[in-house]
Amino acid sequence: MITIQGKEMALIDAHAHIWKKFGGQRDGSTEIQNLGYGKVRQGDEEFYLLTPENADLSNKAEVLEGYMDMHHVDKAVLIQNPCYGDQKDYVKSVLDSKPGKFVGIGMIEPRDLEHLPGQIDDLIQNYGFKGVKMEIPDTPFVMDAPEYDILWRKVEENDALVLLDLGWWGDTEFYFDIDRFTNVVKRHPNMKTVLCHIGVCNLWDKSQKYPYPDLQKVLKLFDINRDHLWMDTSAMSHFDDEYPFPRSQEIFKIVVDAVGTEKLMWGTDFPTLMTEITYGQALTMFTRHADYLKLNDWENLLHKTAEKVYFQA
């Protein structure tokens, strides 16, 4: 619980990651190699995915819980990611040991069409996850192709969520594939979708200026599917250079004015954000610097929307 404008309220991190043993891939098939002490190699590039304290690049639930305790975060959504590898068994063990504190979002391989329906059924029905996560550039597929309609229909049949990351820093046809996803939303207006990272929208590119044309393309999706579409604010620090991130603040205000806080959820993208900012700054960039928000906005952003989307039966 935290106190905003004199009122105590719950706090939910709507976008966090944990894993027991690191190992995954990006851009379809490029292995992410663990170099130790926070550093990885992707192709010819070496960089710090995590801070050097992460000697073996593990990120166990106890670490996330420690940061949650430090910053009075009550619950969190545990999301899988191709970069970290398949962690469904580990995530399920955490869900089973901490009922009510966490929910899980599973990872699928959409290119495996033969087994795709079974993948989704297994994650929702057997693992108890609330939905499936896809990072389109990392598991690249043509979202609106007829053969993939079974993916979206199977998610709907399970009354599950789709979490979508449209991609960062890439130039293939699968990065920010908003036109194809718009077609999907039109065909499946009842599909429940969360766009991670405010839809990304190429906002890391500083040449994107107000009113941010790619962001506007994403916001138009709410005209098609407002009742079943949400966004999380995770990793918005990537859109700017220095705390408290004035460019990100401008972007956030545009989104709030366009869709309202009942469609927004605060999230961190822990742990990779720790190479740029602290866990606390991922919260205070909003709570200290979005002073135009009203009390009901804070309640929506910090816990009510996430409670409704992820934690209610």
Side-chain angles (χ1 to χ4, degrees), residues 13 15-23 34 36-38 40 49-68 76-81 83-94 102 268-275 279:
D13 186 341
H15 193 123
H17 304 283
I18 60 170
W19 60 86
K20 194 170 186 179
K21 184 178 180 181
F22 179 88
N34 178 356
Y37 295 97
V40 299
L49 183 72
L50 304 176
T51 58
E53 291 88 342
N54 295 83
D56 64 356
L57 267 76
S58 67
N59 183 55
K60 295 180 181 178
E62 291 82 359
V63 179
L64 172 61
E65 285 190 274
Y67 281 102
M68 290 170 64
V77 181
L78 306 179
I79 301 171
Q80 293 192 71
N81 180 311
C83 180
Y84 314 135
D86 187 350
Q87 307 287 332
K88 63 178 179 289
D89 291 324
Y90 177 56
V91 171
K92 186 179 187 305
S93 72
V94 174
F102 300 108
T268 61
D269 202 24
F270 180 87
T272 55
L273 84 157
M274 305 291 280
T275 62
Y279 193 95

Side-chain angles (χ1 to χ4, degrees), residues 23-26 80-86 107 133 135 138-139:
Q25 53 84 29
R26 300 295 301 270
Q80 293 192 71
N81 180 311
C83 180
Y84 314 135
D86 187 350
M107 183 176 69
K133 164 79 179 297
E135 304 212 6
D138 294 328
T139 52

